[in-house]
Amino acid sequence: MKRRSFFRIGLTTAVLGVFKPVKAARVFGEITGGLNESNAPIVISTWRHGLAANDNAWKVLEEHGPALDAVEHGVRTTESDMTNRSVGIGGRPDRTGHVTLDACIMDEKSNCGAVGCLEGIKHPISVARTIMENTPHVMLVGDGAKDFALDYGFKHVKSPIKAVKKEWKEWKKKNKKLFEKPVINTENHDTIGMLALDSNGNLSGACTTSGWGYKLPGRIGDSPIIGAGLFVDNEVGAACATGLGEAVIRIAGSHTVVELMRQGRTPQQACEEAVARIIDKHENVEGLQVGFLALDKKGNYGAYSVFNGFNFAVKSTGQSELIDAGFDRNW
Ligand code: SD4
């Protein structure tokens, strides 16, 4: 097996730019990229941190680079941001103080790679890609994933970072029982999921997170699970999810969105239907936030969430904006 170069596309570009996003409040059901022939290249990603991530993904797309490089490069931006508490090693730990990271990546040929419960590695997304490109497996977790990463030249980094450790200690004082049922943390749903369509018309996606803050040790969410946190089918489209992973897994969320697009739904309609299914499958959706993002083969996009508050970033030629997603109900 050959070790790949991790620095193919120049990591020095991972610098946050200055943005003046246009904040558009839109009526849900009307967010689409339009019906023109093709919006390619285009990149979309979850939450406000998607703006900076899209900018770095765009550097690849505008040079006519592959969507796969764009999404990896893009989400590394968020993984590098030590102020981000829900992605990368700056993220919140589990109940025992371990920051365990989940990520996955998928390309236009349906190749995919994933890591779960990975500790002490700055860029889980690149480990996921390395698994995809260098092994016959899709997913490695825990110590196996860590050893694999170290063997392939990734460096160990310390986590949690100081500020996070302090917060966790405070949390621990108030939460003494380790295995008490975790409470849904409605403020900590900030995974980055990114979908890109390149100038050759190929789709790829990436998803990376530190998961549910103060989760039970060993918990893996939807984000590294192909079909749940992310799914790409180059014939149809791509989708990713953010929010309460358990709810997303229950309906194979991202796969569901892509399959709905295959049946003729627009990206917007597909996201709305997947959210409706989540609502149907849960007796009580109180505090259960989930958001879906979808992109089709022509670069039309859509987004929808259970509750208000979900937004996403879009970048294409002449466009860089943060858009409020439609939602089913108010908090
Ligand atoms: C998870 N979906 O681990 C992730 C959490 C998250 O935005 O914050 N998503 O369940």
Side-chain angles (χ1 to χ4, degrees):
M1 273 193 271
K2 247 188 157 183
R3 283 166 201 242
R4 64 179 268 262
S5 158
F6 304 118
F7 301 100
R8 256 173 354 273
I9 48 178
L11 302 181
T12 48
T13 48
V15 174
L16 305 187
V18 178
F19 302 97
K20 285 203 176 132
V22 183
K23 215 177 179 184
R26 303 202 178 166
V27 182
F28 44 92
E30 290 185 355
I31 304 165
T32 83
L35 297 172
N36 51 332
E37 246 332 276
S38 173
N39 283 333
I42 182 168
V43 58
I44 62 176
S45 57
T46 55
W47 304 109
R48 177 172 283 277
H49 51 214
L51 287 166
N54 283 359
D55 263 18
N56 276 332
W58 189 251
K59 287 173 186 161
V60 177
L61 295 174
E62 72 178 345
E63 296 296 323
H64 308 289
L68 180 66
D69 286 351
V71 294
E72 180 192 10
H73 198 49
V75 303
R76 283 175 66 107
T77 314
T78 324
E79 289 179 341
S80 296
D81 178 1
M82 289 306 122
T83 66
N84 191 308
R85 294 286 169 262
S86 51
V87 178
I89 56 162
R92 292 194 179 89
D94 67 15
R95 305 186 148 222
T96 58
H98 292 267
V99 180
T100 58
L101 306 175
D102 296 342
C104 73
I105 193 159
M106 191 163 188
D107 74 8
E108 77 281 2
K109 293 184 182 135
S110 299
N111 296 312
C112 43
V115 285
C117 245
L118 174 66
E119 213 177 332
I121 300 288
K122 194 174 173 188
H123 290 300
I125 199 65
S126 298
V127 183
R129 182 168 176 176
T130 307
I131 293 166
M132 172 175 106
E133 292 180 340
N134 294 280
T135 82
H137 305 309
V138 168
M139 186 185 232
L140 296 178
V141 303
D143 289 346
K146 173 91 180 270
D147 291 346
F148 172 86
L150 295 175
D151 199 40
Y152 271 75
F154 290 85
K155 297 276 172 280
H156 170 83
V157 284
K158 235 180 124 190
S159 64
I161 60 171
K162 225 171 156 190
V164 171
K165 196 168 180 178
K166 196 170 162 234
E167 252 183 53
W168 166 68
K169 282 189 168 164
E170 291 299 314
W171 176 88
K172 224 168 53 150
K173 271 188 218 155
K174 293 183 211 131
N175 298 271
K176 299 250 184 286
K177 274 198 194 161
L178 182 62
F179 289 105
E180 201 162 35
K181 197 176 173 190
V183 178
I184 297 169
N185 181 348
T186 53
E187 290 160 8
N188 188 28
H189 293 300
D190 298 339
T191 292
I192 183 149
M194 176 178 277
L195 311 170
L197 177 69
D198 65 28
S199 49
N200 287 319
N202 286 323
L203 288 159
S204 289
C207 187
T208 176
T209 189
S210 54
W212 185 338
Y214 312 127
K215 59 198 169 186
L216 293 182
R219 182 260 187 190
I220 289 179
D222 61 316
S223 304
I225 298 178
I226 297 295
L230 175 73
F231 195 69
V232 177
D233 185 324
N234 206 43
E235 286 174 20
V236 179
C240 61
T242 179
L244 185 68
E246 283 75 359
V248 176
I249 294 170
R250 233 162 251 145
I251 67 147
S254 294
H255 181 262
T256 294
V257 172
V258 172
E259 288 306 300
L260 288 167
M261 290 194 283
R262 191 194 303 279
Q263 290 165 23
R265 311 302 196 279
T266 64
Q268 182 62 32
Q269 289 166 340
C271 291
E272 290 181 18
E273 208 166 317
V275 164
R277 195 166 306 171
I278 285 196
I279 292 169
D280 275 359
K281 298 285 177 199
H282 292 83
E283 263 172 38
N284 180 6
V285 290
E286 201 184 323
L288 190 164
Q289 175 64 314
V290 167
F292 290 108
L293 199 52
L295 181 66
D296 72 11
K297 262 309 254 188
K298 288 186 170 176
N300 295 304
Y301 54 85
Y304 203 68
S305 53
V306 177
F307 287 96
N308 58 315
F310 173 44
N311 51 24
F312 63 103
V314 183
K315 193 163 177 88
S316 59
T317 307
Q319 179 191 18
S320 178
E321 60 178 322
L322 187 69
I323 299 175
D324 290 328
F327 53 88
D328 187 84
R329 56 193 68 191
N330 278 296
W331 282 114

